[in-house]
Amino acid sequence: MAVNHKVLLGISGSIAAYKTPDLVRLLIKAGCEVKVVITESAKSMVSELSLATVSRNVVVSDIASQAQWNNHVALGLWANVMLVAPGSANTIAKMANGVCDNMLLACYLSARCPVMLAPAMDLDMFEHATTQKNLAILKQNGVSIIGPASGELASGLVGQGRMEEPQIIVEQILRLLKGKQDLTGKHIVVSAGPTREPIDPVRYLSNYSTGKMGYAIAEQAAKRGAQVTLIAGKGGDTFAHKEVKTIWVDSAEEMYKACELEFEKCNAFIMSAAVADYTPETVAAIKIKKKDDEMQIKLKKTTDILATLGEQKKGQTLVGFALETNDEIENARGKLKRKNLDLIILNSMRDAGAGFGTDTNKITVLDKNEKVTHFELKTKKDVANDILDLVAATF
Ligand code: CTP
């Protein structure tokens, strides 16, 4: 159950604030860590002591105190999600207009995470054109609005304005944080990183691949609900993810064996590893000593893993990578055909921000119908999701 989401709960002055200790309790039960920021008017509707006790954190409210003056920045950076619940008409109006006269609003303006808002007010206040306009502005600014529900209101009137039930708010937060689950039920295998071709017991041939692109694909595929196996070459960056089964390999030969075993049972195979094309013909049993001014190592071709999988393909989506320095599209198209791929992801060494070791990538994708799609320079996480969107479209 440990999900470790960090929720910053902003409580504003609506009578529904009395439900927030229960909301905090449910969030914690769902595996979240919760910090509370409260407005002055909300303090008369719910006890700070109750909130501090259930959240196991100090409740924050004073924007001008010396001890807390820069807390809005720290809290805004800390949170994975900010939830304003209940959101009073007044707080909604201020949020929509960038007013910053209390700690909750300062946190809202500083937060880099997604923001959710559960409005709660009397029905006429909710229906008022100004409130509706403010909510429309917030929606346009990316705030997700939860509710309000209809029912009996504190005023005795009946209509829309009740804060959504805490249980429903928690479900919506968890759904938002989980993201789309379009790969549920699919088994995706990703290869990543370099291979190391042994020369003797202390030396090997390798390349500059860090594995970052493949790791990002594995991570995002798991996040989108897929069962993921990562076959990773040693020598790149480290990787650990509790939902990704990771098989570490050394040489191209080891990678080939691991890929063969995994290929049969998968729905998609994404080969982002930088596999050595050649490996030493013989591996010295003992360390090679320095002798002449020159030395030669005879290399033999490795198995082309992707081409072999392409021959064995029985309905799996097979994705390859091509890192090119020239004639990029032509070379990539040749590899797509030769290796019987469904998609090939092309990186050009001529593009700034693409290639080994960077946190960004710029890709062009060719599919088996010769369609060419160019993408902008993006983070590897976003590139991973673009690739997975294309893979998902093949299922
Ligand atoms: N690949 C593979 N097995 C190899 C070499 C490459 O599976 N022995 C895969 C890579 O993981 C990549 C794709 O094939 O997904 C293209 O790799 P690349 O090195 O660009 O292609 P090559 O066919 O080796 O052609 P060249 O090196 O001549 O450009």
Side-chain angles (χ1 to χ4, degrees):
M1 174 43 78
V3 288
N4 298 324
H5 297 312
K6 294 177 181 135
V7 181
L8 178 60
L9 173 63
I11 304 176
S12 66
S14 156
I15 191 63
Y18 82 88
K19 294 183 178 173
T20 52
D22 200 29
L23 177 59
V24 172
R25 196 183 55 77
L26 289 172
L27 285 166
I28 288 178
K29 215 170 142 197
C32 301
E33 195 183 334
V34 183
K35 291 188 181 179
V36 175
V37 52
I38 191 167
T39 65
E40 279 308 313
S41 59
K43 285 183 185 174
S44 58
M45 294 160 188
V46 59
S47 141
E48 281 179 275
L49 182 61
S50 307
L51 290 164
T53 308
V54 286
S55 71
R56 299 169 205 148
N57 277 311
V58 176
V59 173
V60 181
S61 64
D62 191 354
I63 196 169
S65 98
Q66 275 190 40
Q68 297 186 354
W69 78 268
N70 68 347
N71 246 3
H72 59 285
V73 177
L75 286 168
L77 292 176
W78 170 83
N80 291 138
V81 63
M82 181 174 182
L83 166 67
V84 179
S88 67
N90 188 33
T91 290
I92 289 171
K94 290 180 179 179
M95 285 168 72
N97 291 284
V99 177
C100 188
D101 63 358
N102 65 34
M103 191 61 152
L104 187 155
L105 295 162
C107 287
Y108 166 63
L109 289 174
S110 310
R112 293 186 186 171
C113 57
V115 179
M116 302 185 89
L117 165 74
M121 64 199 74
D122 216 65
L123 81 163
D124 295 311
M125 294 168 81
F126 179 68
E127 280 171 6
H128 196 282
T130 312
T131 306
Q132 289 301 319
K133 201 166 78 190
N134 290 333
L135 285 169
I137 292 173
L138 289 177
K139 253 191 222 165
Q140 207 180 4
N141 292 349
V143 175
S144 311
I145 317 284
I146 308 172
S150 286
E152 196 182 327
L153 302 166
S155 60
L157 297 173
V158 176
Q160 200 179 7
R162 281 167 67 101
M163 184 175 85
E164 195 51 276
E165 287 308 316
Q167 185 63 48
I168 292 176
I169 296 177
V170 173
E171 280 165 16
Q172 296 219 17
I173 286 195
L174 294 180
R175 205 171 306 138
L176 172 107
L177 290 171
K178 223 169 160 198
K180 61 176 171 180
Q181 295 289 290
D182 59 338
L183 298 176
T184 304
K186 301 294 177 194
H187 182 193
I188 296 186
V189 184
V190 184
S191 76
T195 60
R196 303 196 296 202
E197 308 307 317
I199 297 169
D200 69 12
V202 296
R203 301 182 180 94
Y204 57 80
L205 296 173
S206 191
N207 58 64
Y208 291 118
S209 171
T210 56
K212 277 183 181 164
M213 190 64 246
Y215 297 168
I217 297 171
E219 206 170 333
Q220 294 309 309
K223 206 168 170 206
R224 287 166 67 161
Q227 178 200 339
V228 184
T229 305
L230 173 73
I231 301 168
K234 292 176 196 162
D237 288 1
T238 54
F239 179 82
H241 190 293
K242 58 183 185 319
E243 275 153 34
V244 175
K245 177 184 155 196
T246 305
I247 301 165
W248 290 97
V249 296
D250 235 319
S251 63
E253 181 62 20
E254 269 186 42
M255 183 164 282
Y256 171 50
K257 284 185 182 146
C259 291
E260 278 265 283
L261 280 178
E262 295 299 319
F263 187 58
E264 225 174 68
K265 357 170 211 177
C266 76
N267 301 99
F269 198 105
I270 304 173
M271 188 84 202
S272 78
V275 187
D277 288 329
Y278 292 90
T279 191
E281 199 169 60
T282 53
V283 181
I286 53 171
K287 188 181 169 198
I288 301 169
K289 298 304 276 181
K290 181 166 58 186
K291 282 189 294 219
D292 304 330
D293 285 351
E294 285 178 11
M295 81 168 280
Q296 288 189 352
I297 300 170
K298 194 161 183 206
L299 304 176
K300 62 173 184 197
K301 242 190 189 164
T302 58
T303 306
D304 189 321
I305 303 171
L306 203 51
T308 312
L309 300 182
E311 284 164 17
Q312 298 169 359
K313 201 162 82 169
K314 285 193 203 92
Q316 297 96 325
T317 300
L318 190 58
V319 184
F321 274 69
L323 178 60
E324 305 290 341
T325 56
N326 57 286
D327 304 321
E328 291 91 338
I329 300 272
E330 241 175 273
N331 286 334
R333 190 176 286 128
K335 285 175 193 178
L336 178 91
K337 290 221 155 77
R338 219 168 36 247
K339 304 192 187 200
N340 191 22
L341 308 179
D342 296 275
L343 297 167
I344 191 154
I345 318 298
L346 165 66
N347 292 130
S348 171
M349 285 299 274
R350 288 196 278 193
D351 284 329
F356 291 137
T358 59
D359 290 320
T360 53
N361 203 357
K362 189 168 187 300
I363 59 164
T364 299
V365 181
L366 282 74
D367 71 12
K368 61 179 177 192
N369 302 319
E370 306 258 325
K371 188 171 162 217
V372 180
T373 315
H374 298 279
F375 290 85
E376 298 296 309
L377 181 74
K378 295 183 180 188
T379 62
K380 284 192 168 163
K381 177 182 159 195
D382 289 344
V383 172
N385 279 310
D386 287 339
I387 294 169
L388 290 169
D389 286 344
L390 294 167
V391 169
T394 67
F395 293 147

